[in-house]
Amino acid sequence: MGIPGSGLAKGLAVTLRTMTRKSVTAQYPDVQPDLPPRTRGVIGLFEENCTVCMLCARECPDWCIYIDSHKETVPPAAPGGRERSRNVLDRFAIDFALCMYCGICIEVCPFDALFWSPEFEYAETDIRDLTHERDTLREWMWTVPEPPALDPAAEEPKEIAAARKAADKLAAQQATAAAQPQSDGTAATPDTDTTQEGT
């Protein structure tokens, strides 16, 4: 059994400790808070990367992503080719009244069309206004921070290695094509100075 009044003494000790500390007041909204880089504010949409694969809407546990699209026929790129069809995005909306900010939609997107933005000032007086369409989601893309720098000791990504190999191959082909006219003797000879001094 404890000493009578020990709980009161501990409570008073905590109060005395906090009384001696300087209070820190957040001056929001005059001063914006310094948010950590991985803040989950809202979800930004990079519309050009979206292929309407519907993975984000299917994997969302809250079913708060609404996507509408239609198919368009693309003419063949080369003569004799066949026409192809592609999905065109008509609507992409997220209901932030239902969203629980789990980030599954961002993780499952195979084409990097969704990103976390630290933007957090999107409160509304009507809950129905918390469904934001793709125009607003695109504007939030401008607030997405840059990704952290890669580890210099990390292995080079396969995409960059393949692109560099293709660029080197193209440069070698251009150098070979530029060297062929000179080997045929069609290259221009340097002009010689025919003037004589003292005449």
Side-chain angles (χ1 to χ4, degrees), residues 53-78:
C53 66
M54 306 291 287
L55 269 176
C56 55
R58 285 200 301 264
E59 296 295 329
C60 178
D62 292 330
W63 292 84
C64 64
I65 300 176
Y66 311 113
I67 300 175
D68 292 330
S69 66
H70 69 277
K71 287 189 177 293
E72 278 187 0
T73 303
V74 180

Side-chain angles (χ1 to χ4, degrees), residues 2 13 29 32 37 39 47 55 64-65 71 80 83 92-93 96 108 122 124-125 147-148 153 160 182 194:
Q32 292 293 321
T39 299
E47 192 175 331
L55 269 176
C64 64
I65 300 176
K71 287 189 177 293
E83 295 181 342
F92 194 107
F96 285 97
V108 301
Y122 58 98
E124 301 287 347
T125 56
I160 296 178
Q182 294 180 0
T194 56

